[in-house]
């Protein structure tokens, strides 16, 4: 006889139940209840397969399938009482199923282990999450496209080292982010394609002697195929790590953009005004409009990177196949996924709402001798100077402008000719910021016509 206090799922050889501390460290139900939908889908696919292969009867499979739907609706309706004594979502579901349908519930776990069960549930969960991230990233990219279209030919300073470098177009800057988040989309999609194999049927680690049909369960759950090696199937968490890797790079991109928004919305820059919907005030300083959402997006990067490091560390010492260490995979992924989704959604809202200040962007575009390279290029093109000499002449003209406290286009022709006698009136054309950006027509360059090509290409790609 099994002691009443021992576990009803595996208590056969146990005389006593676990210590309270043992129960506390062992239980995962506090967080893996988030796998309920996936767990029930996996169990329903498994039960249907057991019946199709004659391992259990059709009537038992039917009772199991129906009962599982009842469990699901109890959970969704908030009527389900989760039990820590039952450790995890798998045993909570099965125990309730037993209450509901009795004996057939005990047949569900034939040819299955919690090891392949949790591996399947978690893959399904991460896969769903990737689909949600995918849609959110597409929304974000569309917000950039709208900004880029509206200001494809607006000029602004381009920076290197956060020092004014050369004028660029607003549209060009927006489209740089579409490239970045477009690569993120690609990384999530690659990870999804690689993870889309089904662990179910690997059982504890070695497979099973029952005549199961793994192709059938894989298909039913939307996987491309079953995992090929049962040991690997239950011990692999690469899919979660790849998700965290893609999430980390995406979070890093979001953080760089957040940093730009913090700078751009400052009183010193005034490049953009963030909407009321995505700004906060100060309880003491009435003039303040703080970019809190951008700052929090920048900060959330820390926990997302942290999740990746934590799970890599959990996994790195584990021999094949399953070890309980792997239970620590979920909270990291849940937290990273929740915060990434929040960050992308907040960023999409901020980008869609933000109002770039065209006049401020244009005024800033001309400062800092931004067209010095255009001047040097003119000397090369028109005067036939080697670029190094042109660079030197331009440097002297910049020094002259600095001395006079003016910008390059404000220099008098005579003063310029004193530096290089071959300079003519035509030079003023290339010193203007609009001409500067219009001239950069090389592939991928900042010229408005090139930017409009990029916009058209991405609009098509994101359809
Ligand atoms: N709660 C466990 C986890 O998340 C489920 C698998 C338990 N397997 C086992 N052999 N104890 O990993």
């Amino acid at each position: 006889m099994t002691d009443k206090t021992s576990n009803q799922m595996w208590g056969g050889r146990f005389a006593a139940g676990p210590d309270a501390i043992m129960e506390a460290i062992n239980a995962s139900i506090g967080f893996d209840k988030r796998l309920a939908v996936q767990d029930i889908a996996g169990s329903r696919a498994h039960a249907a397969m057991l019946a199709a292969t004659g391992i259990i009867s059709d009537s038992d499979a039917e009772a199991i399938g129906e009962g599982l739907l009842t469990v699901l609706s109890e959970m969704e309706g908030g009527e389900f009482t989760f039990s820590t004594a039952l450790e995890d979502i798998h045993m909570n579901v099965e125990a309730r199923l037993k209450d509901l349908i009795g004996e057939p519930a005990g047949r569900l776990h034939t040819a299955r282990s919690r090891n392949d069960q949790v591996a399947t549930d978690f893959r399904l969960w991460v896969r769903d999450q990737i689909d949600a991230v995918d849609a959110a990233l597409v929304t974000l990219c569309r917000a950039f496209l709208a900004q880029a279209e509206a200001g494809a030919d607006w000029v602004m300073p381009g920076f290197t080292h956060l020092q004014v470098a050369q004028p660029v177009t607003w549209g060009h800057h927006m489209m740089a982010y579409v490239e970045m988040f477009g690569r993120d989309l690609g990384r999530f999609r690659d990870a999804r394609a690689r993870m889309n194999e089904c662990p179910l049927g690997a059982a504890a680690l070695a497979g099973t002697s029952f005549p199961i049909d793994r192709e059938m369960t894989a298909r039913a759950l939307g996987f491309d195929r079953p995992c090929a090696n049962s040991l690997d199937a239950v011990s692999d968490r690469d899919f979660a790590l790849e998700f965290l890797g893609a999430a980390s790079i995406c979070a890093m991109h979001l953080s760089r953009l957040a940093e730009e928004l913090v700078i751009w919305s400052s009183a010193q820059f005034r490049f953009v005004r963030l909407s009321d919907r995505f700004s906060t005030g100060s309880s003491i300083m009435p003039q303040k409009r703080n970019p809190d959402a951008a700052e929090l997006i920048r900060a959330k990067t820390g926990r997302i990177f942290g999740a990746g490091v934590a799970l890599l560390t959990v996994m790195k010492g584990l021999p094949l196949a399953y070890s309980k260490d792997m239970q620590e995979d979920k909270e990291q992924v849940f937290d990273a996924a929740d915060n990434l989704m929040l960050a992308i959604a907040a960023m999409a809202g901020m980008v869609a709402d933000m109002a770039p200040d065209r006049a401020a962007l244009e005024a800033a575009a001309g400062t800092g001798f931004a067209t010095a390279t255009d001047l040097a290029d003119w000397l090369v093109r028109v005067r036939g100077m080697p670029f190094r000499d042109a660079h030197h002449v331009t440097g002297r003209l910049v020094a002259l402008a600095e001395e006079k406290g003016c910008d390059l286009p404000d220099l008098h022709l005579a003063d310029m000719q004193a530096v290089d006698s071959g300079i003519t009136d035509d030079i003023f054309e290339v010193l203007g910021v609009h001409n500067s950006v219009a001239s950069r027509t090389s592939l991928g360059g900042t010229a408005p016509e090139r930017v409009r090509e990029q916009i058209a290409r991405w609009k098509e790609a994101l359809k």
Side-chain angles (χ1 to χ4, degrees):
M1 263 306 284
T2 306
D3 186 282
K4 285 250 179 319
T5 56
S6 72
N7 189 293
Q8 58 170 299
M9 297 293 165
W10 39 256
R13 63 162 299 194
F14 284 71
D19 188 272
I21 294 296
M22 179 61 206
E23 198 171 286
I25 193 172
N26 202 36
S28 54
I29 189 62
F31 49 88
D32 68 15
K33 59 171 82 141
R34 286 188 72 171
L35 299 178
V37 170
Q38 292 76 14
D39 192 72
I40 286 170
S43 287
R44 280 170 53 81
H46 184 67
M49 181 278 291
L50 290 177
T53 50
I55 298 168
I56 65 173
S57 70
D58 286 341
S59 60
D60 282 349
E62 209 162 296
I64 291 169
E66 289 295 308
L68 286 169
L69 287 183
T70 307
V71 176
L72 182 62
S73 70
E74 288 177 359
M75 285 179 172
E76 286 174 344
E79 307 143 34
F80 192 94
T81 322
F82 291 97
S83 150
T84 310
L86 287 166
E87 258 188 69
D88 55 27
I89 185 65
H90 324 297
M91 299 208 286
N92 270 270
V93 169
E94 193 183 319
R96 179 65 187 138
L97 184 66
K98 183 147 188 272
D99 294 344
L100 289 168
I101 68 168
E103 195 250 20
R107 300 186 187 278
L108 171 61
H109 214 53
T110 314
R112 185 177 78 167
S113 153
R114 279 187 294 156
N115 297 348
D116 59 337
Q117 195 178 351
V118 74
T120 304
D121 293 2
F122 199 29
R123 272 193 206 227
L124 289 171
W125 193 91
V126 173
R127 197 179 70 183
D128 286 348
Q129 202 59 42
I130 286 180
D131 293 341
V133 169
D134 192 306
L137 283 176
V138 168
T139 303
L140 174 60
C141 287
R142 293 210 173 108
F144 281 115
L145 283 172
Q147 288 284 359
E149 262 192 313
D153 57 357
W154 297 8
V155 288
M156 66 179 285
F159 299 89
T160 59
H161 314 265
L162 197 57
Q163 306 284 319
V164 171
Q166 294 170 350
V168 296
T169 47
W170 170 256
H172 196 215
H173 201 116
M174 294 297 101
M175 292 310 293
Y177 279 105
V178 175
E179 293 291 333
M180 290 154 79
F181 291 112
R183 283 194 299 279
D184 289 330
L185 261 178
R187 263 182 287 275
F188 282 111
R189 288 174 184 178
D190 288 350
R192 189 194 198 284
R194 204 162 16 255
M195 80 171 57
N196 205 28
E197 297 184 340
C198 186
L200 201 58
L205 74 166
T208 174
S209 59
F210 289 99
I212 58 171
D213 182 349
R214 292 193 59 207
E215 301 282 353
M216 181 181 168
T217 40
R219 233 181 357 257
L221 295 169
F223 289 107
D224 295 328
R225 63 193 80 84
C227 299
N229 179 304
S230 63
L231 283 170
D232 178 53
V234 293
S235 74
D236 169 34
R237 292 295 181 271
D238 293 3
F239 63 93
L241 289 165
E242 281 197 56
F243 172 75
L244 292 175
S248 293
I249 296 176
C250 183
M252 175 273 289
H253 286 155
L254 288 164
S255 182
R256 293 182 69 177
L257 171 57
E259 173 71 8
E260 296 213 303
L261 295 183
V262 169
I263 293 171
W264 288 358
S265 62
S266 68
Q268 289 71 23
F269 271 75
R270 291 189 191 286
F271 282 7
V272 298
R273 185 179 167 87
L274 300 176
S275 71
D276 288 356
R277 300 196 314 147
F278 286 98
S279 305
T280 57
S282 156
S283 55
I284 173 167
M285 297 164 283
Q287 85 283 13
K288 294 273 273 185
R289 290 173 65 81
N290 291 329
D292 290 35
E295 294 166 274
L296 288 164
I297 290 167
R298 194 171 56 184
K300 283 185 183 302
T301 314
R303 62 204 292 166
I304 295 172
F305 291 0
V309 173
L311 185 54
L312 281 168
T313 312
V314 165
M315 295 305 295
K316 77 168 188 62
L318 302 185
L320 294 182
Y322 176 85
S323 297
K324 195 62 172 257
D325 309 51
M326 289 158 74
Q327 178 165 288
E328 291 283 313
D329 56 1
K330 290 167 214 54
E331 284 164 293
Q332 300 298 339
V333 173
F334 291 160
D335 185 76
D338 290 346
N339 283 286
L340 181 69
M341 282 299 290
L342 201 51
I344 297 172
M347 190 55 95
M350 268 194 294
V351 171
D353 278 17
M354 75 182 170
D357 185 331
R358 185 178 184 174
L361 289 166
E362 181 158 343
T367 61
F369 314 110
T371 52
T373 317
D374 299 86
L375 198 163
D377 287 350
W378 185 89
L379 293 170
V380 170
R381 227 175 17 247
V382 180
R383 297 269 292 113
M385 275 187 202
F387 183 77
R388 280 292 156 231
D389 297 348
H391 188 287
H392 188 77
V393 170
T394 308
R396 290 184 52 200
L397 290 168
V398 168
L400 185 66
E402 223 164 13
E403 212 178 281
K404 292 186 178 287
C406 67
D407 271 314
L408 285 173
D410 307 325
L411 284 174
H412 296 301
L413 182 60
D415 289 336
M416 292 206 236
Q417 285 169 338
V419 175
D420 178 68
S421 58
I423 293 179
T424 65
D425 219 15
D426 295 345
I427 190 106
F428 288 100
E429 223 155 81
V430 302
L431 295 181
V433 288
H434 285 281
N435 284 324
S436 169
V437 296
S439 73
R440 295 216 153 72
T441 53
S442 55
L443 195 151
T446 204
E449 59 192 283
R450 288 284 102 92
V451 171
R452 291 198 178 96
E453 283 166 11
Q454 294 179 41
I455 295 171
R457 185 170 52 77
W458 272 107
K459 270 185 149 175
E460 192 57 35
L462 293 174
K463 251 185 196 153

